[in-house]
Amino acid sequence: MNIGDVSRESGVSTKMIRYYEEIGLIPAAHRTEAGYRIYCEKDVHKLRFIRRARDLGFSVTQLTELLALWSDGHRASADVKRIARQHIAELEHKLQELQAMTDALKHLAEHCHGDHRPECPILEDLAGAIEVEARHMDLTRFGAGGVDPVRRKKEIL
Amino acid sequence: MNIGDVSRESGVSTKMIRYYEEIGLIPAAHRTEAGYRIYCEKDVHKLRFIRRARDLGFSVTQLTELLALWSDGHRASADVKRIARQHIAELEHKLQELQAMTDALKHLAEHCHGDHRPECPILEDLAGAIEVEARHMDLTRFGAGGVDPVRRKKEIL
DNA sequence: CTGCCGTTTCCAACGGTTGGAAGGTCAAGT
DNA sequence: ACTTGACCTTCCAACCGTTGGAAACGGCAG
């Protein structure tokens, strides 16, 4: 099988297959005399595994661990579960932050007339707390725990 | 005020201030004879505006629009609300996908013994549906609507 | 032999942010 | 006047995962 075939069968793009090989997530494929990569059914399975894990949001780093455990017949399921739990925690963290953003923005949007007039509570909020009280309430909804907002954004979006 | 001062007062890093200037989100700052950027209170306000919008997850592109509306005294609040609504929709979309990932993964983790034995439903699921029925159920929880999974990941994480 | 499609490698971009290196400036202390 | 340290400048690179494109070659059917 050529790379296009495994791509179609696994749902991983040829670009990404080459990339995964480059970063060492999958071993370098054998080549034909002309330099074409050759794959077998086993590779298709592995790529499907990768794709499913990516669909669940696992990072490539986590994938490396998962693949190692997958191919280790003597693995302890506790190790797999630990990785999964850690990832779940990350996902839930993102969920919380995303939810906070959504709530805050929806709250603002609800109070915006949305007509031809320039007055707009959304802009007022962004411009920095004309109504300090209300603003403070919205902020505390976010910052429970005082998380660095810069760091926050990176993790979420 | 130098760039470090506005950075402290606005909460936007000096790196990002220069970046925002480079991409045209904010106009190029005036310079001293030595080439130092000079800022005033107005710039601090603008950067605070930017930071708050970024904290709410607005993209730089959306920020460009928001800044334009902010400085336009004749704006219609409807335009602001439209941008906000669109962003809310994006956030809610990400929330849904993230929630689906979390649910699926939690479901798998719950059924994993997490002991010394190698048997692991998480790996089995990733490896591709030993129990096809259950697997299918989990998948449909995701793909309601048949969204391209590749596109999905990009949007969410 | 000529198309056409698949494959190869390499380079770039996305978005937003951070880090570091190499060098110039400013203000305070000695 | 000189040093020191904190600040500023630009430029380049990296993160992460994915996509796009260009230029060149292989494989196969007509």
Side-chain angles (χ1 to χ4, degrees):
Chain A
M1 281 196 290
N2 285 338
I3 196 171
D5 304 315
V6 278
S7 171
R8 265 180 301 276
E9 289 195 34
S10 66
V12 180
S13 73
T14 61
K15 291 272 187 191
M16 289 314 298
I17 296 175
R18 295 193 193 98
Y19 172 70
Y20 290 151
E21 177 182 319
E22 187 191 335
I23 63 172
L25 181 61
I26 54 177
H30 295 146
R31 306 283 189 126
T32 67
E33 291 180 4
Y36 280 29
R37 289 175 179 80
I38 314 174
Y39 298 92
C40 62
E41 275 304 319
K42 233 174 129 180
D43 297 315
V44 174
H45 288 138
K46 192 174 221 168
L47 285 169
R48 282 205 190 123
F49 184 99
I50 290 172
R51 185 158 128 58
R52 294 209 180 92
R54 296 286 305 138
D55 284 352
L56 285 175
F58 283 103
S59 70
V60 169
T61 306
Q62 289 169 319
L63 248 167
T64 308
E65 303 180 54
L66 288 175
L67 282 173
L69 289 170
W70 188 39
S71 64
D72 176 11
H74 297 300
R75 71 187 163 247
S77 62
D79 290 332
V80 183
K81 193 166 184 174
R82 181 184 43 77
I83 296 174
R85 288 228 152 279
Q86 185 194 331
H87 183 46
I88 289 171
E90 293 164 6
L91 289 175
E92 290 187 329
H93 180 68
K94 284 178 198 165
L95 267 173
Q96 280 180 20
E97 306 288 3
L98 213 50
Q99 190 68 60
M101 281 187 197
T102 310
D103 290 347
L105 201 51
K106 281 174 95 167
H107 180 78
L108 289 174
E110 275 167 21
H111 290 74
C112 174
H113 289 289
D115 54 18
H116 64 287
R117 292 172 297 176
E119 288 77 25
C120 176
I122 302 171
L123 287 183
E124 283 169 11
D125 182 276
L126 292 175
I130 290 189
E131 303 174 35
V132 180
E133 303 276 340
R135 168 87 202 151
H136 182 64
M137 283 172 54
D138 283 353
L139 279 178
T140 48
R141 219 188 289 169
F142 265 129
V147 184
D148 175 10
V150 175
R151 186 139 299 283
R152 188 201 308 160
K153 279 178 298 181
K154 280 192 56 175
E155 293 169 1
I156 309 156
L157 300 182
Chain B
M1 279 197 291
N2 286 337
I3 197 171
D5 303 317
V6 278
S7 172
R8 264 181 299 277
E9 289 195 34
S10 66
V12 180
S13 73
T14 60
K15 290 274 186 188
M16 289 315 297
I17 296 175
R18 295 193 193 99
Y19 172 71
Y20 289 151
E21 176 182 319
E22 187 191 337
I23 64 172
L25 181 61
I26 55 178
H30 296 145
R31 306 283 188 127
T32 67
E33 292 181 3
Y36 281 28
R37 288 175 179 81
I38 315 174
Y39 297 93
C40 62
E41 275 305 319
K42 233 174 130 181
D43 297 315
V44 174
H45 288 138
K46 192 174 222 167
L47 285 168
R48 282 205 190 123
F49 183 99
I50 290 172
R51 186 159 127 59
R52 294 209 179 89
R54 295 287 303 138
D55 285 353
L56 285 175
F58 283 104
S59 71
V60 169
T61 305
Q62 289 169 319
L63 249 167
T64 307
E65 303 180 56
L66 288 175
L67 281 172
L69 289 171
W70 187 39
S71 64
D72 176 11
H74 298 299
R75 70 183 165 249
S77 62
D79 290 332
V80 183
K81 193 166 184 173
R82 181 184 41 78
I83 296 174
R85 288 227 153 280
Q86 186 196 330
H87 182 46
I88 289 171
E90 293 163 6
L91 289 176
E92 289 186 331
H93 180 68
K94 284 177 199 167
L95 268 173
Q96 280 180 21
E97 306 287 3
L98 213 49
Q99 190 69 60
M101 282 187 197
T102 310
D103 291 347
L105 201 50
K106 282 173 94 168
H107 179 78
L108 289 175
E110 276 167 20
H111 289 73
C112 174
H113 290 289
D115 54 19
H116 64 286
R117 291 173 296 177
E119 288 77 24
C120 176
I122 302 171
L123 287 184
E124 283 169 12
D125 182 276
L126 292 175
I130 290 189
E131 303 175 37
V132 181
E133 302 276 339
R135 168 88 203 150
H136 182 66
M137 283 173 56
D138 283 352
L139 279 178
T140 48
R141 218 189 287 170
F142 266 130
V147 184
D148 175 11
V150 174
R151 184 141 301 282
R152 186 201 308 162
K153 278 177 303 180
K154 280 192 57 175
E155 293 168 0
I156 308 157
L157 299 183

